[in-house]
Amino acid sequence: MRRSFASRRQAMAKLYVINGANQGQSFKLKGDIISVGRSADNDIQVKDSSISRNHLKILRRGGLYFIRDLESTNGTFVNGKRISSGKDFEVKDGQPIIIGKVLISLGTPCQEDAISVQDAAVAGEGATTGIFTQDRRRPHTTTKNLELIYKVSNVLMQSLDIDEILEKILDYIFDLLKRIDRGAILLVNNETGELEEIIGRSKFSSGKAIINYSRSIVDKVMKDGRPITMSDLAQKNSGSFSDSMLHMKSVMCVPLISRSQIRGVIYVDSVSKSFGFREEDLSLITALSSPAAIAIENALFYSNLEKTIEDRTRSLRETEERLRESETRFKAIFDNMSSGVMVYNTTGNGRDYIILDLNRAAGRIEGIQRSDVLGKGVRGVLPWFEEAGLSEVFGRIAQTGKPERHSLTISKDGQVTGWREYYVYRLPSGEIVTIFDDITEKKRVEAEQKALQEQLLASQKLESIGTFAGGTAHNFRNILQAISGNIEYLEMVHGGKTEIREMAKSVHDSVEKGVDLINNLLHFSKRGGELEVADLDLTEVVMKSYEIIDKVFDKNIEIKLDLEEGLFVRGNHSLLSQVFLNLFTNARDAMPQGGRLHIQAKKMNDKVVSTISDTGFGMDKETLDKIFDPFFTLKDVGKGTGLGLSTTLGIVEQHRGSITVSSNPGKGTKFTVTFPYATRDILEKYEPQKKLVMGNGQKVLIVDDERSALEALANLTNALGYQAISVEHPEEALDNYKNWAPDIVLMDRSMPKLDGITCLREIMKTDPDARIVIVSGYDESGQDGIDETVKSLIKGYLTKPCGTEELSQMLSKALET
């Protein structure tokens, strides 16, 4: 037994350095107390910075060896477990002892797996319970590892491809740490904030792999921002492990920190060996994590930058495409607008405006070419610019920025050539824009519409006058019939007395004027009967009219005739005479103090032209524009109806002729009347026939609701040798027709209750052979005339006022039939 103990002591008499500083050396243990440390005053000096100056003591008691940690900085480990400082701990022969980073053993060299035990002891320093072990010491990196990290960092910084960088990181880790079975790099997704496995690798499979890593370890590293190692999971309580950790023997997880932010983790594990990682491995990965994190962040930033640039480039291309489309669309709209558009740049403080652009419509409206006017001043392109007032408009808008609308008149040499509708505004750039339309045609149409409206108004006036004239003619003619009939009866009875003849002549003149007035009204309103025309010599018509005025005009008016022979026209003698009488009368009225009246007529080509000139007071333009208007007169109230010239115009136009007038105030007036020339060789001579035919006691039934006209007709009828039966009511005539048995009936047309047409139809039913003559204030033809069926029933038609001769001839003619 003693020999055994002695031999054991002999075996324990040395300290072997297995790994670290002084590796391979051995030291004899002399005495019962041997001090070990970095300082030279120790019995055994181990020069390693991880060993304290006085690290531990080796004690020999009764053949046994004990070690006591002297409160060293990095501690003392036996079989991977740290011993308590200040307490003696028995060690066995060949048992691995770790001081700092140096592995030693007493007696004999330690077992083969002592290096793993050393790594586990270093990694597991400071923790004796729990699952995770966090390295709280300052990582110790050798010069060799620093050089490697520098080299790796340079390589990583040379690439901006995130996939390439991550591949290189795993390549270097797997190359440097042969004990790694699996590895992965996990990064935080900036958009979701979630941790995602970006790349994984396993030595058990080729290519990329998905690693079933420990979520708990990774989450703790992400939370605390510190590396974690687990050297031997077999020594931990497996009940607290997650399923992913049951397949692991050793784990190492290091945060990727850049700019004080945790970007992700490097995760490696060993599924085949406990104590698979050494302290130096953790230091290496930890040191590698910083440049790796920077490289990853740069790559991600570059990737994001590339994506941003790509997105912005795509957005720019899309914007440019939209801009091109917009420009194309704008150009199409600009060039196809119906309105003209011109853009100007102000120069010389508003003294001129340079044309920058214009569309097709502007060129068409103004008759200019775009290529000819770009860059030129507007005054040279649009000569009417100043006169139309656009210069002031442009200047005002350039200062105020307020848009304006204007209607402009375009003139050339004092003559209006067109109109424009302008809208002018200022762009934010200060450029002036005009949008305009050529409204010349619109103005022309408006003028035509105005003229049509005036014509319509005149037509409506004429229609009103015609309606008025028709009713007035009927009533007035009844009045004139009473006057004319009575005065003729008076003349027939007492015609031998001079005073009666003079009075009768005066009344006849008044009646004729009244008839002329009514006829003028009816002709003016075109409500008169059909125009009876014949081939006439206009010279004869003018001479007949002259014979009348020569007797009644004052002698202070000199009348000069200049008439050619054979001025043939087709027309109505009476109406043409009225034309010249009206013109002669107007000339006389324009020369109250006397003057000269020149009457001229001659043939010019296929026209007969007559002129009536006077030396009167003349007329201004405003008056000339109105002289043919109905009821317009310059005469005093009661001295003119205002229908003379309007009637004259109507008669001339009825004869397919024309009439013009020229005049100047104080220089007289000249009327020119033109008619088509007629080629007929045989002309009808106008010879009014007057013949009185007396009756022989025949009975004449006279029906008229106007008592005065009825009495006048009855007196004339009796004076002509007939027996007159007069009644005011048609009903009475119907009731007594058989009893009276009249030879002829004079029937008024318009009567109350029973009109004349209906009355005569009823008489014809009683006596189909009845002779009936209508006597009416309305004309036989025209708008107020009678139709052919009525004409077939009657023997004649007299228009009031009818004279004695006309009445006698109608009665005689009707009785003969």
Side-chain angles (χ1 to χ4, degrees), residues 500-534:
I500 295 297
R501 287 198 306 273
E502 291 178 354
M503 180 182 64
K505 183 178 182 304
S506 177
V507 173
H508 280 308
D509 290 340
S510 297
V511 170
E512 287 180 3
K513 289 180 180 180
V515 171
D516 289 340
L517 177 60
I518 289 298
N519 290 336
N520 287 344
L521 279 173
L522 292 177
H523 281 295
F524 168 74
S525 61
K526 299 182 180 179
R527 296 177 66 93
E530 295 181 1
L531 184 65
E532 296 182 1
V533 296

Side-chain angles (χ1 to χ4, degrees), residues 50-251:
S50 64
I51 297 176
S52 298
R53 292 177 60 83
N54 299 105
H55 197 97
L56 59 80
K57 287 182 178 182
I58 301 174
L59 306 174
R60 185 164 50 192
R61 291 197 300 266
L64 301 176
Y65 283 91
F66 297 87
I67 59 175
R68 181 189 300 163
D69 184 78
L70 301 178
E71 297 183 355
S72 63
T73 300
N74 292 325
T76 301
F77 297 82
V78 179
N79 286 331
K81 293 183 179 180
R82 188 169 184 169
I83 65 174
S84 300
S85 298
K87 293 182 180 182
D88 296 343
F89 188 87
E90 183 182 3
V91 294
K92 304 288 194 268
D93 184 28
Q95 194 171 21
I97 302 169
I98 299 172
I99 54 175
K101 292 185 177 181
V102 179
L103 175 63
I104 64 174
S105 63
L106 300 178
T108 60
C110 63
Q111 303 170 4
E112 292 181 0
D113 61 350
I115 294 177
S116 298
V117 174
Q118 177 196 19
D119 293 340
V122 174
E125 176 194 355
T128 57
T129 61
I131 299 177
F132 305 129
T133 300
Q134 292 185 318
D135 186 2
R136 302 180 183 277
R137 298 175 296 136
R138 178 182 177 186
H140 178 76
T141 307
T142 65
T143 302
K144 180 180 179 181
N145 287 344
L146 287 174
E147 293 176 354
L148 178 62
I149 291 171
Y150 177 74
K151 177 181 178 182
V152 171
S153 298
N154 285 336
V155 173
L156 292 178
M157 295 305 173
Q158 291 174 5
S159 176
L160 290 173
D161 187 332
I162 184 65
D163 293 331
E164 181 181 354
I165 289 174
L166 296 178
E167 287 283 354
K168 287 182 177 180
I169 292 173
L170 285 185
D171 287 344
Y172 288 127
I173 291 175
F174 272 78
D175 287 343
L176 295 173
L177 305 178
K178 301 299 183 181
R179 293 170 296 280
I180 296 175
D181 292 331
R182 304 186 307 171
I185 298 178
L186 298 90
L187 299 178
V188 176
N189 187 314
N190 291 330
E191 295 181 358
T192 64
E194 298 293 331
L195 192 67
E196 298 177 355
E197 181 178 338
I198 305 302
I199 187 171
R201 183 179 296 178
S202 173
K203 71 177 184 179
F204 304 112
S205 60
S206 60
K208 294 183 179 180
I210 298 176
I211 305 303
N212 188 18
Y213 61 88
S214 172
R215 174 70 67 177
S216 301
I217 293 176
V218 170
D219 288 346
K220 188 167 184 62
V221 171
M222 289 295 298
K223 179 180 179 183
D224 298 339
R226 294 176 180 176
I228 288 179
T229 60
M230 295 187 66
S231 299
D232 189 1
L233 295 181
Q235 298 181 15
K236 307 299 179 180
N237 182 7
S238 61
S240 60
F241 291 171
S242 63
D243 293 342
S244 62
M245 297 175 65
L246 296 176
H247 305 286
M248 306 172 191
K249 293 295 181 66
S250 302
V251 174

Side-chain angles (χ1 to χ4, degrees), residues 396-425:
R396 192 164 54 246
I397 292 175
Q399 291 181 356
T400 65
K402 295 181 179 179
E404 297 182 14
R405 292 184 181 274
H406 293 279
S407 293
L408 307 178
T409 302
I410 311 302
S411 301
K412 183 178 181 180
D413 299 330
Q415 297 293 325
V416 176
T417 58
W419 288 265
R420 302 284 188 273
E421 188 75 30
Y422 259 78
Y423 177 69
V424 189
Y425 64 94

Side-chain angles (χ1 to χ4, degrees), residues 351-369:
R351 288 191 297 272
D352 200 2
Y353 302 92
I354 303 302
I355 298 175
L356 298 180
D357 203 358
L358 69 155
N359 65 352
R360 295 174 184 170
R364 184 187 68 253
I365 292 172
E366 301 301 346
I368 55 180
Q369 292 292 328

Side-chain angles (χ1 to χ4, degrees), residues 30 48 86 122 161 186 209 281 375 378 397 425-426 440 486 519 523 713 778 784:
K30 299 176 180 181
D48 190 287
V122 174
D161 187 332
L186 298 90
D281 297 338
V378 65
I397 292 175
Y425 64 94
R426 187 188 72 188
T440 304
N486 287 322
N519 290 336
H523 281 295
L713 283 174
Y778 293 110
D784 296 321

